[in-house]
Amino acid sequence: MPTLNIYQSMWGMEFNQPDSFQWQLQEKINRIADSGFYGVSFDFPHHNKNFIEHAQPLLKQFGLACVFNVFVSNSNDFQELVDWAKTLDCPPECIGIIGQVPPWDVNAIAEQTRDWLSIGNRAGFATYVEAHRNCMTNDLLFTLQLMDQVPELSMVADLSHVLLNQEWYLPISQEASALVSLVLNRTQVFHGRVGTREQAQIALAFPQNQPWFELFKSWWLEGFETWIQQNTDSEKACAFVCELGPPPYAITGPDGFELSDRWQEALLLKQTAESLWQQAIEAVNKNSMKTKDAVL
């Protein structure tokens, strides 16, 4: 049976607040492990090599895996990164690239993307590209062109970036939904964050935000069903990263403090992903039974 591995973002464990409060690294990892997460997501170079190396004994102690999101601009830097990652006690199970290349020439971006994928695959790392603003996948339509140019490309779907970039209104049109489906059809990793057409990250429990939360749940459910259908006979695991970032991603009040508890929201996202995954498995199994009955 296909499985879902849920990671907590280390970036999401930070607090950029006026009193400078922070959890220490061991407490962060202890909380992640005690809450039943499969692993930790690191952002490179926001989390530099020293930080990630310092975390390695704790990952091993608590039995946690890790994935990387990496901001790179050329092949040499990525090659250096994967060579270093191979030396870690807990190397990343997959790498998501946020390409720091202007999205002007799709042919040039496609060539660079193929090189990045080749470097990652030669090193033994499943390597994908993230839909993300302020990088080569800033615009959804350009990203879809890139996906057409590189058929072997699989995606990290952070749909908050997609929604904010396109500024779609609710209810989402059939045309917009079809574009999201194209991304979900090629997605291997899902990033858990809810946005709106004006904001990249909103509080999950606020009543006014529930229509947007429902939209994202429908996208994740569709993505999970698609992933399961494509990987029924595979030993791969689907990855979901709870990635609720600190301010300025998190919205703050006039005192500079956040308006919601991001750690509790991360736990809610984890529960939501687990529930949606089970719904997706049941839906795929039900459709499979219908197909078998129709054949018989």
Side-chain angles (χ1 to χ4, degrees):
M1 182 69 67
T3 57
L4 177 69
N5 293 339
I6 303 180
Y7 299 78
Q8 168 62 13
S9 167
M10 184 58 67
W11 172 61
M13 303 296 284
E14 297 175 8
F15 298 94
N16 296 341
Q17 56 189 39
D19 61 3
S20 301
F21 170 81
Q22 293 287 351
W23 289 330
Q24 296 300 311
L25 178 60
Q26 180 156 350
E27 182 176 1
K28 292 177 181 180
I29 293 181
N30 188 46
R31 284 174 177 264
I32 291 170
D34 283 350
S35 299
F37 285 95
Y38 182 81
V40 177
S41 173
F42 292 102
D43 296 315
F44 182 88
H46 176 72
H47 301 117
N48 60 35
K49 292 180 179 179
N50 288 337
F51 180 89
I52 296 172
E53 289 171 355
H54 185 57
Q56 294 291 299
L58 292 171
L59 295 181
K60 291 190 69 175
Q61 176 185 342
F62 289 99
L64 294 171
C66 74
V67 295
F68 283 4
N69 306 315
V70 301
F71 293 74
V72 291
S73 59
N74 58 67
S75 296
N76 289 338
D77 287 350
F78 188 57
Q79 182 68 66
E80 179 184 334
L81 172 67
V82 298
D83 288 344
W84 164 76
K86 288 171 64 177
T87 69
L88 297 173
D89 289 336
C90 299
E93 301 211 333
C94 65
I95 298 176
I97 293 175
I98 299 96
Q100 302 297 283
V101 185
W104 293 113
D105 184 341
V106 70
N107 293 314
I109 299 295
E111 181 178 358
Q112 176 62 81
T113 298
R114 284 189 287 266
D115 199 31
W116 278 329
L117 297 182
S118 178
I119 291 169
N121 292 333
R122 286 199 304 270
F125 295 123
T127 304
Y128 313 123
V129 165
E130 182 174 345
H132 198 288
R133 290 170 298 142
N134 194 32
C135 72
M136 70 186 193
T137 54
N138 179 75
D139 178 73
L140 173 62
L141 302 182
F142 183 92
T143 301
L144 294 173
Q145 293 178 51
L146 175 63
M147 290 164 56
D148 285 341
Q149 291 270 11
V150 188
E152 67 271 28
L153 171 61
S154 294
M155 301 299 296
V156 176
D158 189 332
L159 299 176
S160 65
H161 289 288
V162 171
L163 175 60
L164 184 56
N165 172 261
Q166 296 298 305
E167 294 193 55
W168 287 322
Y169 291 94
L170 287 176
I172 299 297
S173 69
Q174 291 184 350
E175 293 78 9
S177 295
L179 296 178
V180 172
S181 294
L182 292 174
V183 176
L184 293 174
N185 191 55
R186 298 272 288 274
T187 292
Q188 290 295 325
V189 179
F190 299 83
H191 278 191
R193 182 191 302 115
V194 175
T196 73
R197 67 184 304 271
E198 295 90 5
Q199 296 164 331
Q201 181 176 300
I202 56 175
L204 300 180
F206 291 4
Q208 67 271 28
N209 294 336
Q210 294 314 295
W212 297 103
F213 196 7
E214 292 301 317
L215 171 65
F216 276 76
K217 286 192 282 187
S218 72
W219 281 341
W220 295 331
L221 179 60
E222 177 187 347
F224 288 168
E225 289 182 8
T226 300
W227 192 96
I228 293 168
Q229 290 166 349
Q230 294 174 348
N231 294 276
T232 301
D233 299 323
S234 171
E235 295 182 357
K236 291 193 302 183
C238 184
F240 185 94
V241 180
C242 299
E243 196 185 42
L244 302 177
Y249 263 72
I251 300 172
T252 57
D255 59 0
F257 286 88
E258 297 180 41
L259 301 181
S260 61
D261 185 330
R262 262 186 305 116
W263 173 242
Q264 292 303 315
E265 290 179 318
L267 299 181
L268 174 59
L269 271 181
K270 179 177 179 291
Q271 295 170 357
T272 299
E274 291 167 340
S275 176
L276 292 173
W277 183 257
Q278 187 59 42
Q279 292 178 46
I281 288 177
E282 293 171 359
V284 171
N285 287 341
K286 184 176 181 180
N287 289 335
S288 177
M289 292 299 296
K290 286 183 178 179
T291 301
K292 290 180 180 178
D293 290 343
V295 171
L296 295 175

